[in-house]
Amino acid sequence: MTRNGTTRRNVLRSGAGVVAAGTLAAPMVHAQGTAGALRFAFWDHWVPGGNDALKELAAKWGEQKRVNVSLDFINTTGNQLQLTAAAQAQSRSGHDGISLTPWDVGAYSQQLEPVDDVIGRLVGKYGPINPVAEFLCKHGGKWRGVPATSGTQNKPACVRFDLMLEHAGIDVRAMWPANNTRGPGADNWTWETFTVAAEKCFKAGVPFGLPMGQFSDAVDWVGALFAGYGAQITDATGKPTIRGNAKLKTAIELGVRLSRFLPSDVWAWDDASNNRALIGGKSALVFNPPSAWAVAKRDAPQVAEKCWTIPMPAGPEGRYLAYLPFTTGVWAFGRNKTAAKEFLEFITQRESAEAITNKSGGYDIPPFASMTDFKVWETTSPPVGTIYNYPLKPHHQAKTSIAFDPAPPELASQMYIQALNTKVIARVAQGGETVDQAMGWLEREITNMRRG
Amino acid sequence: MAPDSSAAVPAPRPAAARAESSAMKRFARRRSTIAFLMTLPLILVIGGLVAWPAGYAIYLSMLNRRQTAFIGLENFDILLENETFQSVIWQSCFFAITAVLLKALVGFWLAHMLHHVPARGQKMWRGMLLVPWVIPPALSTLGWWWMFDPSYSSINYLINAIGFPSVPWLGEPWWARISVIIVNVWYGAPFFMIMYLAALKSVPDQLYEAAAIDGATGWQGLRHITLPMMQNIISITVLFSLIVTFANYDIVRVLTNGGPRDLTQVFASYAFQVGVLSGNIPRGAAVSLFMFPLLAIIAFFVLRGVNKRTKEMA
């Protein structure tokens, strides 16, 4: 039976249209003799001009395939991108494809078109895909999105090499030079060494700028610290593995110890606070993509020319690099799914990925290990080679990580957004609880999240 | 007139049709029908923008996370067992009650001061004092955030300049709570001021003159004339502000994002975090509905008191 009049779905559909209309409109690429239209929503890049590569690629592909491609760039300030995805998923209408934040792929997996065919061809050409991206994108044995280059970032250490050498006696440029070798001290670049250096820099008045609040920069670096100690909070089914977890306890204790050598206000820092600390010359080290360095290059060149990006420290269980990927998904309710998948395949190819990374000044990280040799990371300056070690390279002997891996996405997204890993440290360091009390709280919190 | 002009006269309608038509006319002319038709647009607006979303939120709050199964009140049960949510309840109540009381006191004081300013200068002061209420709170809170900024607080700069140590405005839980309340009071006090000023202007001067002849002090005048005469407006503004403050979102979101350690989280910001950002829309809906019954009961009793006093005064 059909029903006339206004339905809940129609109203939601209209709402999603309004949200979409409110976003920054990018060019509509017209092609004569059109083979249909395609609408994509991409993350609006922080880096000025960072969207240009996608616009150019869309124009080129649209001309070739005679498809009208229109792109909207939606930023994550105020969670606009996440809200747009939520509205479109709820109303089952909107763009053909959309950029998704790490955990949203799992949240909307049932409404995303499988893209195994695209991934199969890309992996055949470029080799294995990043395992974290696979963990986030593959659900029920099917790929539900194509790991994106635009917006995907690593968060290694961006170090003021002059301050680090002067106050902590560590020459980071010698340790991690701008070539594929490990220098002296690289094997000893551990969280313990890091904490000692943090203390020295703190005493010298240039503390490490590590946020400990609820924003992603904080959650990501603490996630890499925990991974380095093998401190998993849950297993792959989501069952808490906290009780009697000595590795977790050690990681929390190190986090608490480290937090004593950070600025007193890091508990309230957002994702921009660490950038400001570096750019303002107040900090000897931050964990960040090259965006902080890029702003320093513009606003404080005397700071930028003394920055050097190096891998994160290692823990007893290995070296992990905080990795925050974007994924582009094709909605199952989209009108032009075949063209959407073709377009995604096109923008993920090496030439396209390099164009995207170049436009972003090296910020964007492609999902394939075989694509970590782009020239932009070698040539960017000042100083030359400053971001050579930004992408994960084999000589780093590291793995990428995302906080709360290997929890199932539904649970992990809640733990990530609610920053359980930084809070458990804060409860001890700031709240005065014992580590055991804080771990008890963590277990109860996760048990509660799993219900319903 | 043409002999057949009678053909133009309509044939008499059957009695039943006539009766029906006149009943319809009577129905259309009835006061209640006209009143209903005139209020229909408002009913439709309220139905579409209030009742439907509220009903849908209630429906959502009774679903499981994937929105595939009806689980009754389990989301509320889960929330009540959650330590973070327990602290959210406490914080929301503390925030709303403290902020409303302060807004009422500051608003009353400002209104009283303004009432005694000569009429010519009053306009200018009234306009200036209303500015915080006119600026969109998300924008003004951003300004406050810059002043409270953890690393570059301009307030701390001034505090340091007079020799005192910096205050961790947003980094320490109690200071963060106080910061959120300060911004809310700054934003909301002008509303109380303007309402109370209107109420003060409606109190007849003769009452004060009579009291002065009887030897009443200023405090006695305030206690026995001003406050009783303003009782209804005070009740309504406090109720209105309590509801709005309980639902406050933007100040917390911009200023602290609920931190540190969720200790400034209030219902609306926590509902957004749980519902939209964490992808658990049913539980987020349950958080947002949590205060609804309590506020409805408070509203019922306050409005009943207002009605009762209005009838007594009439």
Side-chain angles (χ1 to χ4, degrees):
Chain A
M1 193 178 99
T2 56
R3 286 184 300 164
N4 292 322
T6 306
T7 64
R8 177 181 65 85
R9 186 153 292 163
N10 282 337
V11 172
L12 286 168
R13 190 168 290 154
S14 310
V18 170
V19 169
T23 57
L24 280 175
M28 161 87 82
V29 183
H30 292 283
Q32 286 182 338
T34 179
L38 203 55
R39 285 184 66 213
F40 264 81
F42 284 111
W43 174 67
D44 190 14
H45 216 293
W46 305 130
V47 178
N51 299 329
D52 292 348
L54 281 172
K55 289 178 192 171
E56 288 162 14
L57 290 167
K60 187 178 168 188
W61 183 84
E63 286 295 321
Q64 280 173 5
K65 302 287 176 180
R66 307 181 95 65
V67 174
N68 288 335
V69 187
S70 72
L71 308 183
D72 292 320
F73 292 95
I74 304 172
N75 66 39
T76 38
T77 308
N79 307 108
Q80 286 181 62
L81 182 61
Q82 294 94 317
L83 287 168
T84 305
Q88 295 191 356
Q90 196 81 355
S91 65
R92 295 184 61 77
S93 75
H95 294 91
D96 292 287
I98 188 167
S99 287
L100 296 163
T101 53
W103 304 106
D104 278 355
V105 190
Y108 306 125
S109 62
Q110 297 304 310
Q111 290 164 279
L112 293 168
E113 186 72 5
V115 289
D116 297 73
D117 48 344
V118 174
I119 297 290
R121 287 191 292 274
L122 289 169
V123 169
K125 276 170 94 172
Y126 305 117
I129 220 157
N130 185 297
V132 172
E134 182 170 357
F135 163 71
L136 292 168
C137 293
K138 212 168 176 180
H139 299 279
K142 289 184 175 167
W143 286 84
R144 297 288 176 172
V146 177
T149 299
S150 180
T152 294
Q153 56 189 275
N154 291 333
K155 297 190 179 179
C158 179
V159 187
R160 274 287 299 270
F161 59 78
D162 56 330
L163 299 176
M164 197 70 151
L165 184 62
E166 183 186 347
H167 302 301
I170 298 174
D171 185 352
V172 293
R173 287 189 297 174
M175 191 194 286
W176 299 103
N179 57 49
N180 289 335
T181 59
R182 296 158 71 88
D187 293 336
N188 197 33
W189 182 235
T190 62
W191 284 106
E192 285 296 336
T193 309
F194 182 87
T195 307
V196 172
E199 184 177 3
K200 287 177 178 170
C201 288
F202 176 74
K203 285 178 178 165
V206 282
F208 291 180
L210 311 183
M212 290 293 292
Q214 293 174 232
F215 290 87
S216 66
D217 279 359
V219 177
D220 290 335
W221 85 258
V222 174
L225 163 70
F226 278 24
Y229 279 80
Q232 288 184 353
I233 290 172
T234 71
D235 61 20
T237 65
K239 190 180 165 197
T241 52
I242 295 165
R243 203 165 295 178
N245 187 335
K247 290 176 180 175
L248 178 60
K249 192 171 182 178
T250 309
I252 294 172
E253 282 168 348
L254 187 121
V256 171
R257 191 149 50 95
L258 184 53
S259 70
R260 295 199 183 106
F261 309 127
L262 303 178
S264 60
D265 49 13
V266 288
W267 314 103
W269 277 21
D270 61 15
D271 285 344
S273 303
N274 47 354
N275 297 22
R276 284 198 296 270
L278 182 85
I279 298 159
K282 290 189 167 191
S283 181
L285 181 149
V286 297
F287 288 126
N288 218 65
S291 46
W293 166 83
V295 177
K297 186 178 165 182
R298 187 192 64 196
D299 297 343
Q302 74 285 3
V303 170
E305 64 196 20
K306 287 171 185 152
C307 289
W308 196 259
T309 293
I310 65 170
M312 292 183 102
E317 303 277 327
R319 189 185 308 283
Y320 286 85
L321 173 64
Y323 175 71
L324 196 65
F326 271 89
T327 301
T328 318
V330 175
W331 289 123
F333 48 78
R335 282 166 296 183
N336 207 348
K337 290 185 272 191
T338 309
K341 285 160 74 173
E342 257 187 69
F343 177 59
L344 283 187
E345 186 170 347
F346 173 74
I347 61 170
T348 314
Q349 290 180 9
R350 186 182 169 96
E351 299 73 29
S352 306
E354 188 160 10
I356 292 168
T357 303
N358 287 347
K359 284 281 184 191
S360 68
Y363 179 102
D364 295 327
I365 296 285
F368 297 96
S370 63
M371 295 186 192
T372 55
D373 57 352
F374 295 160
K375 282 284 172 200
V376 66
W377 294 308
E378 282 178 40
T379 54
T380 297
S381 66
V384 176
T386 183
I387 57 168
Y388 182 86
N389 288 299
Y390 170 58
L392 190 147
K393 302 204 171 188
H395 73 280
H396 295 167
Q397 296 169 12
K399 293 175 188 166
T400 48
S401 78
I402 187 157
F404 305 109
D405 178 6
E410 285 184 354
L411 179 65
S413 63
Q414 294 185 76
M415 295 195 288
Y416 187 96
I417 294 297
Q418 298 189 36
L420 293 192
N421 57 0
T422 61
K423 277 185 203 158
V424 74
I425 294 172
R427 289 180 86 91
V428 181
Q430 200 194 29
E433 291 183 9
T434 64
V435 175
D436 289 329
Q437 283 172 331
M439 285 169 71
W441 165 82
L442 184 62
E443 184 171 9
R444 291 191 297 278
E445 200 75 5
I446 294 169
T447 305
N448 191 278
M449 278 179 182
R450 294 179 73 205
R451 292 177 59 195
Chain B
M1 189 179 278
D4 60 346
S5 62
S6 61
V9 178
R13 287 183 296 165
R18 276 205 312 272
E20 195 180 316
S21 166
S22 95
M24 279 301 289
K25 279 181 184 166
R26 276 205 306 277
F27 176 75
R29 283 177 186 162
R30 266 161 56 182
R31 278 185 153 194
S32 57
T33 308
I34 293 166
F36 173 75
L37 288 173
M38 290 179 79
T39 52
L40 191 59
L42 184 62
I43 290 169
L44 290 176
V45 168
I46 290 174
L49 299 180
V50 179
W52 185 80
Y56 189 51
I58 292 168
Y59 164 72
L60 278 175
S61 72
M62 295 182 182
L63 299 179
N64 68 346
R65 185 193 161 93
R66 283 197 168 275
Q67 302 178 42
T68 52
F70 184 80
I71 57 169
L73 298 176
E74 197 181 329
N75 276 321
F76 295 92
D77 183 44
I78 292 167
L79 282 171
L80 283 171
E81 286 179 18
N82 180 266
E83 287 170 57
T84 304
F85 186 68
Q86 287 165 9
S87 75
V88 170
I89 298 175
W90 186 87
Q91 280 146 211
S92 297
C93 292
F94 175 78
F95 165 68
I97 292 167
T98 313
V100 170
L101 282 176
L102 287 172
K103 279 186 278 191
L105 286 172
V106 172
F108 185 80
W109 176 70
L110 286 173
H112 221 262
M113 301 291 282
L114 211 54
H115 189 50
H116 291 96
V117 171
R120 204 174 156 198
Q122 207 180 84
K123 273 185 186 173
M124 181 189 73
W125 284 106
R126 207 165 50 203
M128 286 196 325
L129 287 167
L130 272 175
V131 167
W133 196 51
V134 175
I135 302 171
L139 201 63
S140 53
T141 308
L142 203 59
W144 278 98
W145 181 79
W146 284 329
M147 291 196 280
F148 288 136
D149 182 280
S151 307
Y152 306 97
S153 163
S154 56
I155 299 176
N156 277 346
Y157 179 79
L158 295 174
I159 289 174
N160 295 157
I162 54 171
F164 290 98
S166 296
V167 175
W169 293 106
L170 305 177
E172 200 277 324
W174 272 106
W175 279 114
R177 286 174 183 146
I178 289 167
S179 304
V180 170
I181 290 168
I182 287 172
V183 177
N184 190 271
V185 171
W186 175 85
Y187 169 70
F191 167 72
F192 280 81
M193 179 200 75
I194 207 74
M195 297 297 280
Y196 290 168
L197 187 63
L200 279 173
K201 286 186 184 299
S202 68
V203 180
D205 286 341
Q206 295 90 324
L207 292 177
Y208 294 109
E209 286 161 13
I213 291 165
D214 289 344
T217 60
W219 169 247
Q220 284 170 324
L222 179 74
R223 195 176 156 202
H224 298 293
I225 300 171
T226 311
L227 287 178
M229 293 298 285
M230 289 175 68
Q231 207 170 350
N232 274 357
I233 201 79
I234 289 173
S235 301
I236 288 170
T237 46
V238 165
L239 172 69
F240 179 77
S241 181
L242 200 62
I243 292 168
V244 171
T245 310
F246 259 116
N248 188 274
Y249 167 76
D250 29 22
I251 292 176
V252 169
R253 180 80 186 147
V254 174
L255 209 58
T256 66
N257 195 33
R261 289 183 282 131
D262 282 329
L263 292 173
T264 57
Q265 207 76 263
V266 293
F267 286 120
S269 60
Y270 191 64
F272 183 72
Q273 181 175 291
V274 171
V276 177
L277 298 182
S278 306
N280 195 341
I281 288 176
R283 203 168 300 173
V287 173
S288 65
L289 287 169
F290 198 81
M291 284 308 289
F292 177 67
L294 186 63
L295 287 175
I297 292 167
I298 294 173
F300 172 78
F301 283 106
V302 169
L303 293 175
R304 197 175 71 162
V306 169
N307 280 337
K308 200 174 154 190
R309 279 192 295 275
T310 308
K311 278 179 190 163
E312 282 169 4
M313 284 163 81

